[in-house]
Amino acid sequence: ACLVGSEMCIRDRFYSKAMDLFRYIVRFLYKIRWYLIILPMIALVIAWFSTRDMERVYDTNTTIYTGMITGYNLEGGTGAAGGQSQINITNLMLLITTDATIHEVSLRLFARCMMYGNPNKDNNYISAEHFRMLQNSVPVEVKALINHNSENATYANLKAYERPSADNYVFGITNYHPYFGIDAITSRLKVIQLQKSDIIDIGYTANDPGIAYNTLDILNEVFARQYGLLRYGETNNVIKFFEREVARLYRILTNAEDDLIRYNIEKRIINYAEQTKQLSSLDANQKLSDNDLIINKTTTRALMNYLERQLGDR
């Protein structure tokens, strides 16, 4: 049979060896079945005990489109000339991490956490555990500065209260607190330019999801406002100067017009140009009427003289 159907014989031997190998693997796995169950369980328990106290880390990112390379400028071109656009983007990235920017972010973040934190429930601003720790460390006089109706008012109060002193609580948190410290925020902040494009990517990492999100949210607002002041401060000053001059000249013109109106009312002058035009028209019409009357009178007198001569003594 193998000589007649050698191909079939080879196929049967292949299947036979494959089945033998499969049975061998199954018997081997069956023998070590307890090892396959127990060892992964032990590894899982060890991993759980090793990582149960590890701190969770939350990463947040935001992107900013600057338009400095491909954006249109006032001359009708795109971007800035030469390497100026890249220099501007570098300055922009440095502005994000300056102490002035991060200091405002720090105070506003602290104000937001104190305003909206909940000691019994996690929320989008700060976790309950971290808020309890924060609240227990804040003195009473600083809590009195928190205006729960206005974040800007709270920020103004904290900024006015801050003094460069070791016993000043606000000064302390902006320098040493793990969430609100300037150095702590800067160290976890990553600012990069994406592939030499107009886009800047800002990343931040924290062990509290609310802190991580709100830090970047506030940074976006503060950075945009400070960049506007830096970039357009001189232009805005020139614009404000011209606005003040226009307002001053407008007041002068308005007063002059009001004086003219009062004079016209007192002198009963409605419209000098229109009145002159009307008077000229009336004078011309009057002269035409006088001429017509003179012509009629002369014609009538001549006719009367002619008739008197014709009638004679009759």
Side-chain angles (χ1 to χ4, degrees):
C2 288
L3 293 175
V4 175
S6 59
E7 184 178 350
M8 184 180 295
C9 184
I10 294 171
R11 188 183 301 115
D12 291 341
R13 286 199 299 268
F14 175 76
Y15 286 151
S16 177
K17 290 181 179 180
M19 290 302 295
D20 291 341
L21 179 62
F22 176 74
R23 284 192 294 269
Y24 174 78
I25 293 174
V26 170
R27 284 196 300 268
F28 176 74
L29 293 177
Y30 181 76
K31 288 180 180 179
I32 64 172
R33 62 188 182 279
W34 296 113
Y35 295 99
L36 295 176
I37 296 174
I38 295 173
L39 290 178
M41 292 295 295
I42 294 174
L44 179 62
V45 171
I46 293 174
W48 181 78
F49 273 100
S50 301
T51 60
R52 63 177 180 172
D53 295 328
M54 288 183 62
E55 193 175 58
R56 294 184 178 182
V57 176
Y58 301 89
D59 295 328
T60 54
N61 289 84
T62 183
T63 55
I64 299 175
Y65 174 74
T66 63
M68 291 183 174
I69 296 177
T70 60
Y72 285 95
N73 55 34
L74 294 177
E75 287 75 21
T78 56
Q84 187 65 33
S85 58
Q86 187 60 45
I87 295 174
N88 290 338
I89 291 181
T90 302
N91 293 336
L92 205 62
M93 295 169 62
L94 293 175
L95 178 63
I96 295 174
T97 57
T98 57
D99 286 351
T101 302
I102 303 302
H103 182 267
E104 184 173 350
V105 171
S106 170
L107 290 182
R108 289 188 178 275
L109 180 62
F110 174 71
R112 186 174 293 185
C113 290
M114 291 298 296
M115 289 175 62
Y116 303 112
N118 190 328
N120 302 316
K121 184 179 179 182
D122 296 344
N123 56 28
N124 294 330
Y125 302 96
I126 187 173
S127 65
E129 178 185 0
H130 294 150
F131 179 69
R132 288 193 297 268
M133 296 171 58
L134 175 64
Q135 195 175 35
N136 293 333
S137 67
V138 179
V140 177
E141 62 270 16
V142 176
K143 291 181 180 179
L145 302 175
I146 307 302
N147 186 337
H148 292 274
N149 297 321
S150 173
E151 183 177 318
N152 290 330
T154 302
Y155 168 75
N157 293 338
L158 294 173
K159 191 173 181 180
Y161 177 84
E162 183 181 14
R163 293 290 185 275
S165 174
D167 57 352
N168 187 280
Y169 179 81
V170 177
F171 178 78
I173 63 171
T174 57
N175 285 275
Y176 311 113
H177 198 277
Y179 292 151
F180 314 115
I182 296 175
D183 293 336
I185 295 176
T186 305
S187 63
R188 296 194 295 267
L189 198 63
K190 296 180 180 179
V191 183
I192 59 174
Q193 180 184 2
L194 297 181
Q195 299 179 358
K196 297 184 179 180
S197 65
D198 287 332
I199 300 176
I200 294 176
D201 181 82
I202 305 175
Y204 187 74
T205 302
N207 63 349
D208 188 299
I211 293 292
Y213 169 78
N214 285 279
T215 300
L216 283 192
D217 183 51
I218 296 173
L219 179 61
N220 278 338
E221 299 176 2
V222 174
F223 157 72
R225 184 173 62 256
Q226 290 199 0
Y227 174 72
L229 293 175
L230 180 65
R231 179 69 175 84
Y232 305 108
E234 296 180 359
T235 304
N236 291 337
N237 291 335
V238 173
I239 293 174
K240 289 180 180 179
F241 169 77
F242 281 103
E243 287 178 347
R244 290 194 299 269
E245 287 299 305
V246 169
R248 183 179 66 83
L249 295 175
Y250 176 77
R251 289 193 298 269
I252 295 174
L253 179 61
T254 302
N255 293 334
E257 290 179 344
D258 292 342
D259 292 340
L260 180 60
I261 292 173
R262 286 193 294 269
Y263 177 81
N264 291 338
I265 293 174
E266 292 174 359
K267 304 301 181 180
R268 304 185 67 180
I269 300 174
I270 299 175
N271 190 322
Y272 179 80
E274 188 65 24
Q275 283 185 335
T276 303
K277 179 180 178 181
Q278 294 294 333
L279 289 174
S280 300
S281 176
L282 290 174
D283 183 63
N285 292 333
Q286 185 63 42
K287 289 181 177 180
L288 290 174
S289 177
D290 292 345
N291 290 335
D292 292 337
L293 291 175
I294 293 173
I295 291 172
N296 292 334
K297 179 181 177 182
T298 304
T299 303
T300 303
R301 174 60 61 186
L303 181 60
M304 290 176 62
N305 293 333
Y306 172 76
L307 291 176
E308 287 178 353
R309 287 195 302 271
Q310 293 296 326
L311 290 175
D313 296 336
R314 289 173 295 181

